[in-house]
Amino acid sequence: MLQTQPFSAEQLSAANINATSFLATDYLNHFNEVVMLIEMVPDMPDMIEDILCWEPCSYADHFRQSVFADKDLAIAAYEAAPTAVRKGFEAVVTDLNREIEDVQITLSGVDQSAPMDPALADKVMMAIVQNVRPAIDRASGIINAVDKCLDGPVQADGDDATVRAQDAVDELFD
């Protein structure tokens, strides 16, 4: 029997890549790092400059630039991921990038040398709690092949999985 991809489930698991979704949670570090900086801003407004320098990074580019030991495998597995999983994941990442960019816009006019306005700090923290963290959790659920919103496995085949994933994302924002 011919193998359809150049890697096995055992190789994926050994590299911390989910053998069902073909995705690795290491990619979420790109988002978790900026969230950590944003959470420090109310007490340390000088962090805003670092936050404003953050840019979206594709899954493949993240691994190309990383020190992840199996980065070539991570990229190859991503390219071989079930279409519905990859599309659902990319939709969540697009929303996540947009949410972080909204926070950047909010922070772009802040005087970094002065204490932060408490109302603005609350607005930024609410964006993290209500929008950014749930999107990261959603991406993690897809990576780990568990639909966190529906408490069930991600269905990797067919358009129905993409619709279910988008419905779950939409439900988060209602």
Side-chain angles (χ1 to χ4, degrees), residues 8-142:
S8 68
E10 292 79 20
Q11 287 173 303
L12 294 175
S13 293
N16 290 321
I17 299 169
N18 186 281
T20 302
S21 71
F22 291 19
L23 303 174
T25 57
D26 186 83
Y27 178 62
L28 298 180
N29 291 340
H30 177 64
F31 302 102
N32 288 323
E33 290 168 2
V34 73
V35 167
M36 183 180 65
L37 293 174
I38 293 167
E39 289 173 337
M40 290 191 293
V41 163
D43 296 321
M44 301 172 66
D46 57 319
M47 292 294 195
I48 292 173
E49 186 174 335
D50 292 329
I51 295 163
L52 297 179
C53 290
W54 182 90
E55 293 181 357
C57 185
S58 73
Y59 187 92
D61 286 344
H62 167 78
F63 283 100
R64 282 186 196 102
Q65 299 166 14
S66 79
V67 295
F68 189 76
D70 293 301
K71 61 182 163 184
D72 292 334
L73 177 60
I75 294 166
Y78 176 76
E79 291 170 356
T83 302
V85 171
R86 199 170 57 246
K87 284 183 178 182
F89 181 71
E90 289 171 356
V92 172
V93 167
T94 297
D95 289 342
L96 184 51
N97 286 331
R98 190 176 9 259
E99 293 296 341
I100 293 171
E101 289 169 346
D102 287 348
V103 171
Q104 288 175 309
I105 290 167
T106 299
L107 294 174
S108 65
V110 173
D111 179 359
Q112 298 175 33
S113 64
M116 191 169 194
D117 172 37
L120 181 60
D122 287 347
K123 179 181 178 180
V124 170
M125 291 304 106
M126 289 305 292
I128 295 298
V129 169
Q130 293 179 341
N131 304 330
V132 178
R133 285 206 178 277
I136 290 172
D137 290 345
R138 183 78 182 99
S140 177
I142 294 170

